[in-house]
Amino acid sequence: MSIAIDLTGQTAFITGSTRGIGREVATRLHAAGAKVAIAGRTQATADEVAASLGEGARGFACDVTDPASLRQALAACEAGLGPIDILVNNAGVTRDNLLLRMSEQDWDDVLAANLRGAFIATQAVLKGMMKRRHGRIINVTSVVGIIGNKGQANYAASKAGLIGFTKSVAREYAARGILANCVAPGYIETDMTAALPDAQRAALLETIPLARLGQPADIAGAILFLASDLGAYITGQVLVVDGGMVI
Ligand code: NDP
């Protein structure tokens, strides 16, 4: 028996898909047949990435910290590509500092992007998913939301919040055919982690049983699985994809 993942006829909206993990997620979902909305803060970049994928991909500009802009992009996607079946809340930022030095602005910015953005987007797509009795919400959290991290109290709080949010959505909408799960990446090589000094990177590597840093494709594979029929009996879970870092 061969198993092929086929998302033909489905539409996916992936926040933060102009770069890094989100871009790879969009690429994989598109390769599996889904129509994909590429979303980032600038239209030109989103259009460029969508054009690189080809037919069935379109770019949408939105700032996830601005609820009106996010709702507008989701509505434009539904008008242009069709009802959203798969929402991946992936856009995220860091504003690291020790707690004693952390400003309220850095706290608010991280919570607004990483947590409130997911709330706004999920709320916006729920009604349509309920009507169609089908939907997949996949939230990109982090191992930091599970074990915490020095210098990342704001980020850890946002990612732990996302886990509680996801479990609540899973309970509220399971009866309507909507599944909600988290993927929790470990250390993945993207722009977000590029600034880490070599010594710190080497020390981190020591803590990873699979002895390599993660790649965006490692996360995209897990998200593709959860978005597909293979994940039909999974809801309210946190799938940790970290090479064994937090076993
Ligand atoms: P990158 O920094 O490489 O990419 C971030 C993406 O989010 C870009 O597409 C960016 O788009 C978009 N984005 C940022 N802020 C906003 C905003 N306000 N509105 C809309 N889009 C925004 O990040 P990664 O790919 O590394 O991370 C993706 C997710 O994975 C994040 O949620 C992150 O917390 C999580 N994660 C990452 C890990 C890692 O090691 N890399 C580990 C654990 C979790 P643009 O700049 O075009 O606007």
Side-chain angles (χ1 to χ4, degrees), residues 144-169:
V144 168
I146 301 169
I147 60 170
N149 198 17
K150 285 183 199 167
Q152 289 199 307
N154 50 358
Y155 184 77
S158 74
K159 295 301 190 180
L162 206 46
I163 293 173
F165 171 72
T166 306
K167 291 184 178 188
S168 302
V169 173

Side-chain angles (χ1 to χ4, degrees), residues 21-38:
I21 292 171
R23 181 172 182 163
E24 189 62 27
V25 170
T27 304
R28 289 282 174 108
L29 295 178
H30 184 259
K35 286 179 272 180
V36 294
I38 304 296

Side-chain angles (χ1 to χ4, degrees), residues 151-217:
Q152 289 199 307
N154 50 358
Y155 184 77
S158 74
K159 295 301 190 180
L162 206 46
I163 293 173
F165 171 72
T166 306
K167 291 184 178 188
S168 302
V169 173
R171 286 186 186 275
E172 267 185 44
Y173 298 99
R176 308 300 191 108
I178 299 166
L179 314 185
N181 290 288
C182 281
V183 169
Y187 185 96
I188 311 299
E189 287 192 286
T190 67
D191 293 347
M192 185 177 268
T193 49
L196 202 76
D198 283 350
Q200 237 173 299
R201 189 178 287 245
L204 202 68
L205 206 48
E206 292 287 309
T207 69
I208 303 174
L210 287 182
R212 68 171 175 87
L213 304 178
Q215 296 301 317

Side-chain angles (χ1 to χ4, degrees), residues 15-22 39-42 45 62-65 89-94 113-114 140-143 155 159 184-193:
T15 66
S17 42
T18 50
R19 291 184 279 128
I21 292 171
R41 282 165 295 187
T42 51
T45 316
C62 70
D63 184 336
V64 298
T65 66
N89 287 307
N90 164 78
V93 296
T94 52
N114 300 5
V140 181
T141 175
S142 167
V143 291
Y155 184 77
K159 295 301 190 180
Y187 185 96
I188 311 299
E189 287 192 286
T190 67
D191 293 347
M192 185 177 268
T193 49

